[in-house]
Structure formats: structure tokens, C-alpha cells
Amino acid sequence: MDEIKYNPKTDYGTPKSQSTKQVTLTVDDRQITVPDGVSIMHAAAVAGVMVPKLCATDSLEPFGSCRLCLVEIEGRRGYPASCTTPVAEGLVVHTQTPKLADIRRGTMELYISDHPLDCLTCATNGDCELQDMAGAVGLREVRYGHDGENHLKSAKDESNPYFTFDPSKCIVCSRCVRACEETQGTFALTISGRGFDSKVSAGNKDFMDSECVSCGACVQACPTATLIEKTVIEAGTPEHSVTTTCAYCGVGCSFDAEMKGEEVVRMTPSKNGGANHGHSCVKGRFAWGYATHKDRITTPMIRKSINDPWQQVGWDEAISYAASELTRINAQYGKDAIGGITSSRCTNEEVYVTQKLIRAVFGVNNVDTCARVCHSPTGYGLKQTLGESAGTQTFDSVMNSDVILIIGSNPTDGHPVFASQMKRRLRAGAKLIIADPREIDLVANSPHIRADYHLKLRPGTNVALISALAHVIVTEGLVQEDFVKARCEWDSFVAWQDFVAKPENSPEALADEIGVKAEDVRAAARLYATGGNAAIYYGLGVTEHSQGSTTVMGIANLAMATANIGREGVGVNPLRGQNNVQGSCDMGSMPHEFPGYRHVSDYATRALFETAWDRPLSSEPGLRIPNMLDQASEGSFKALYCVGEDIVQSDPDTQHVTHALENMECVIVQDLFLNETAMYAHVFFPGASFLEKNGTFTNAERRISPVRRVMKPKNGYEDWEVTAKLSEALGYPMGYKHASEIMDEIARLTPTFHGVSFKKLDELGSIQWPCNEEHPNGTPIMHIDEFVRGKGKFFITQYVPTTEKVNAKFPLILTTGRILSQYNVGAQTRRTQNTAWHPEDMLEIHPHDAEDRGINDGDWVGITSRAGETVLRAKITECVQAGVVYTTFHHPESGANVITTDNSDWATNCPEYKVTAVQITRVSQLSDWQKHYKTFSEAQIAFANRKADAVKVG
């Protein structure tokens, strides 16, 4: 039996079945063979017979309430609903008979009798399932008038900034309620009342004040205009769509950009998206308006000094000026005085050409990426232990997990679409262990989910916790020795086993240091080791520590020791923070590696690139971002090409960063907006949004997904074109005519990408690398038969307490994180209506710490560290533990990184954002830094609203 080829544009009414058993039945004289377990409706749709429906859609479980999908089955009485009736061998089904037609028209007549008859002026005219079904059943008249009791005057709920809820058009099909439960897992909606009084309710609140997270699942599911995007109401029905990839977090959701000409009307999650399967979050679904925000800079600018006004110039003049300055600095100070920083917001192709420019034009490896300050310990730790700098699984693997261990990650805020999938598995019975200093949503605010163990450790003690877990696994005989002997270096295992078995690594010995009861650590370790398929998911709460790399290696040790690697449902899974963190690292944007994680000192690799690029290349690792800034402060590093990254806001110790930038003679910033780093720039190249370019992103599961241009770049060029123009002006033409040619070069030179091309991506939708001759369609699960490095290697992970310690002057620990509605430094989301949920960063304080200091909810609080001071509003909450305060970093005026220190990971220099010793006091005014920033900010706003060609912003 040939596999069914599903059309992603077709709604099959009910979900697919995973059964391998086949069933043959007849539908309207058509014989069809389908997997056992699907519904008659689904089977009919596969055969090309579309049964009328309203409550059914293939993203939700069958419900059987609308009564339109009734069918007749030979040998059975009555008219069963085809959506809830499973197929059976030999069934003979009729979907079109006179009696069925009569029943359907009568049912449809009842729906229309309590529905506004405003189809011609309705925003969904031509795109309404109710309208379609009225035509499909042949409804020509409605015998029931509107004189009786009805819902036609029900008030609209306009509270949500992105969509409208109009209950007068609701048919109470429950699709929105079911989508909120089944797809999103928030359970914010319900059907309240009974009979005629039944209605959709957001907990008897308006949508904005309810538990709704604005993921858009309800809007997507609604078959009428009850729930509809405000952009559709304003712009009308889209006329065409282009499939592309979201430019926010590391989940990498696929979206259909639905367009009218060059205007985006709405972004709808693609049903065949490999990472999101038709789901979305508030950012990807709705927060794309920044692409056309008035703050966009679309004209290049130059100035000789950061104290001079900006001068708007044409592209040729800007490129020429930048090239002349780089050439001057190269001649005056030498090539080592020049470097570049790439961004995880850029495409793979853009990152590749940027590192190529630095290496081929200047002959140095002074190129780094924002992954330096987030997941560089992941690259190091997993490369050492497993042999590859990437996660081991596909997101779908979680549906086969029996135990889920989350360390230092808040998936519902940072990776919400994957979190919804994870929550489905948890509701189905998987066990949950959370190691986090805070009570994240999965602990405190997720319906029908309960963490079996919340290990509320003290910030900075991750390695101690990993050692304690390992101690239990080793000393209680829970190691899977057959796996270890077959798959790992035995000597390294023995050394590790002897180390973790020491009494000083026991949960009891480390309990006071970690802050977690020994019995809870022991129970969690036993559950992870013996509970079946166990998967570890971790985030920046692991990597952004002085021992970030050590923790990553410790996590890999746990997975290898328990044989939880190399199959579905297990693995080591770093949840990447930005859309292309994985890709930016894959593309060689680290100073010690060429694309594909090959060291610059390797002769064969270097020769390969020298031949392809026709330039001699350096064998010496270049400067990391912290090294660039240190040398700039000292006076030897003079020029920086910064593409898509805002290091002033995102990097630690802001004063050190700005001092370094002030010392440089040529800072080139390429971005959508005049960001904080641009305040210290001499050249500004306007960037292109993800809607204005072609390329690829690589998500946290190594999934390479297409980014496709849906409108012309407002600045005139895609970002890779700007870099290529700069390269040409420097005497090195790259010769690309399209982003696809860059990917072709990547594929030729990078073994894990040998099989990747734009053509294959268009055919398959997405590909998980490695994709090569051995794996032509990609690799969902890595390390199945052997590790990339051959034998897995255990590393001793000695706990070394951070030097950032509390004392009488700084008695509290500050840790940082993200929130659902905002993204990274907020440059994009702050320019959307997402600010309705998070207009400012706040400082979370435990009630005991607040009471000791006389701080009330909403008070201004001064936060002082060894590095600096800033001021935030207080939020009193028990989500943080006593002795710990927490804030987000999405708003530049909050100055979160003014107070973070220069402490960093021992192996990678990833900053220790998660541990800063601070004191907090109640204050009445902003900090000196914030007053200084306010001047900059006002100048930036003035520039955005400029009437002249130049304005002083320095």
C-alpha cells in the first residue's frame, strides 16, 4: 500500500492515525485504504470526498457537536457523525443521500437563524467556513426569523490588541476552546452556560485580563468571524501567501505570510511546519509589525565622530566610506585591529558571508557571534563529550519521553510552541523534574501539569546538583553498563564513576550548598535513571554561568551513563534562545572554527577554504567578543563590523562595552533600527527584516528551514548583499547573485550540509542536518549507533563555586531571564503591541526580602552591584526564593546589564548573567546611568521623527 500523500492545504477533519494496520472501506462507491484508527470523515477526505463539517478540523480531536457531518453506513441504523466514527474493514459509507441533505439543511438553517446576515460586509466574506457550508448543503432560505430570543446584540470584546471576539457570530462549535486545551494547553477558554445560554467564555473576563496567552490557536480554529485578526478587518482578505520561517526564538516555526500585494495581512502557522505543526505563539503569530515600524532606518548614514551629527548618504558613498576606513585602519594598525560580530537573528547565508569577509579580506579570524553570550558552552561541552556541537533530538521526540528533566529553562516563556507540545506529553502521563531557582510556569501556572520534583537550587550551583544526581546513579547501581561499555570510552567512564562516587559529591554533602533536600535529589535521580525514556532540556540557566561548559558536559555524562541517548524520547536538548543561534555557530562565526565546527588550525580544512576563497587564511584562532572589547579599551583594537547585534544592551558590564566602543575608530552597525550600539557607530547600514530576504534559519533541533522574501527590502538590499558590496569595495568580489548560491557554497565546503539546497528545502519543507550522501533527507535523531566522535567520552565535572559571592554589602543574588511577550533585547517586540503585556522590566523580590527593606509592590528599587547600579520597579512574588531577585532584560532603559559583571565561563567566556551579587534599596529617582541613557533615548526618538537630514545623537 502506497503511503498517503497529504495536501497541507486540505483540512481532513480529524487527525491522522499512527497505526500501521490498514483498513479498506468504500465511500460513495470509492474504495479507499487508510490506517486503522482514522475517522470516516478523514478517510472520505483522503478519497477526495469532503463531508460537510463545522466543529471538526484535523488539528483537533473529533468532537461531534455540529451534526453536519452525518453519514449513512450500510447495515447500521441511524446517521452517525463521520468525525467521531472510526473506519472499519469493509464499511460501505454514503455521504450524499436525500435524507442526509435534508438533515444538513435543517441543521444549517438553525445556525443561520441566530447569526448576523452581514456576509457582504463581514471581514471573512469569502473565507468563512459557515458561509461555505451553507453553500455546500444547498441552503436557500431560512424559515426562522430573528424576532425571537437570539445573540445578535452580544457585545464585542476588543481588549486584545491583535484580535476581536464577536460572540454574535459564534456558533458554539467549541473549536476555540478545544484549541486552547489541546493545542496550546492553557485552558483559558470554556463553554459557560447550558442550552441557549451556552457561550464561549475566557473565565468570565475579557481576553486581555484572562489567562489567554494570545497564541492565536483559537483564532486559527474559528470557522466564522467570531475570532478574527484585526489586521484582516482592516486590510481585507489576503490574496496570496508565501511560506517562510519565524525570526524569533529557536523553535523555528513555519508560517504562511498571507499577503495583499506587498502588505502582510496576517501570519498563519503552517500546518506542515516540521517544528510547529500549525501552532504558534504571540510573537510569531502577531508581533511582525516591527518590520514596517516608523523607527526603521532605511537610508545609510555616516559620521567621522560619534559626537558628530549623522549624515544620510547613498549606498555607494556609505560603502565606500566604510571600506576606506577599514583599509586605513588595516594599514595603520594592522589586520589584528579589525573584527566582526555576527548575529543569531541573521540567516545562515548572511552569517557565512560575514565570517568569510573577515577571514578572506583581512586574513584574521577575529569573528564572533552573539552565541558567545548564550550557548557557546553548549558548543564546547557537547563537542567534547558527544562529538557534535548540537542537540541530539527532534522536537517531536518529546512525545515518546517518559521522564522530562528541565534544567535552567522556562519553555513556556522562552520556547512556547515547543512547550505546548511538551505539555501535551506531560498531560498524557510523562513525569516532570524541574531544576530552577524560580517557580517557572510549569511549576506554578500550568493546568493539569504537576512537577514531580522541583529542585529549587541556588543560582550558581548547577554543577553541584549534577554531581549529586550522578552520585546517586553510580552508587545505587543505576548505570547502564552494557551501553557504556559498547558506546563510550571505558577509561573515561571509570574515572568519572570514581569521582562522582566520592562522599563529598553525595546529595547529603551538597544539600546546604545547593539548597535542595537530599531526599528530593535522590528521588529525582532515581526517576531520571529508571523511569523509562528520559530526556534533558536545558537553556541559558545552564550555560550563562562560570561553569556553564562544565554543566553541559555533566548533562551529557548523565545521558550516557543511563543510556538516554540515541533514540526517540531521550537525549540532550539545548533550547536555543534566538532563531538562528544554532545556524550562526554552524556557519563558522566562532573565532576558532570554520563552518562545520572544524578548527582553523586543521591544515586540510584550511586548504579547502583557501582553494575555494582564493585567499590565504590564518591558522590562529581570533579574538572573542570579550577579547575585542578588552583590546579596544586598551587601544589596540580599532574597527568593528557588527551585523544585527546590539552588544551595548545584550553584553555584560555595559560601561565596559561602551568605553571599548568609544575607543574604536570605525564601528559599522548593520541593523533595522538605530539601536544602543549604533549610538557609538561611525557607519550605519540599514538592515532588512526577515520578510524582506531569502535564506535559511537553523533551529534548536538542527532543522534548516527556508526564509523566503515576501516583500521588497525597504532599505534596497538584503543583508548578505550589503556585506558582499562591502567586500567588493575592499577588493574582494564574492560574486553571488542570490542567497541560494551562498547555500550551494556552504554545502560544497561543509560535510554536514553536503545535501542541502534551496531546491531540496522547497521540496521537503525543512531538513535536519547532517544532510549528506549518508543521510540525504536529514537526521532527526543523532548518535543512534555510535557517537559522532566515535566513543562517547565522560568528563570529570568538579564543582567550583563562582567567585561572585554574596556578602554584607551585596547580600542578594540577581538572576535574569525572559518573558513570553518580549524577545531578547526587545528591538523587535518593543515596536509591536506586545508591550501591552510587558511595558517595562521589573524586579521580582521575595516578600521576606521586600519586607526587610520596606519595599512595597510597584516601588522604585535601586539595584547595586560591583559593576554598577540601575533602578527598576518592584514586583513582590513568591516565585523567587528568599535571597534571590530576578529581572528580564527586554527594555534598554532598565539597564539590566549595567549591573552584571565580567565573570564568565572558564572555557568559552560566556558571561555569568545568572549570578550577580547585589543590594536593593527603595529609591525615588533613576540611576545616573539611566539619566544618561534617557538623553540618548530622546535623541533616538527625535531622529525617528526627524524632519531634517541630520540630527545630533551622540
Side-chain angles (χ1 to χ4, degrees), residues 254-268:
S254 177
F255 277 88
D256 294 327
E258 299 191 26
M259 312 289 296
K260 288 187 77 172
E262 292 235 325
E263 178 186 8
V264 178
V265 176
R266 66 182 170 197
M267 298 285 285
T268 55

Side-chain angles (χ1 to χ4, degrees), residues 286 515 540 850:
F286 297 116
L540 303 185

Side-chain angles (χ1 to χ4, degrees), residues 402-418:
D402 301 304
V403 178
I404 297 170
L405 170 55
I406 300 173
I407 309 177
S409 177
N410 185 3
T412 55
D413 279 18
H415 306 84
V417 172
F418 171 64

Side-chain angles (χ1 to χ4, degrees), residues 245 255 490 512 559 713 722 733 899 937:
T245 303
F255 277 88
W490 183 251
D512 289 343
V722 175
I899 52 179
S937 179

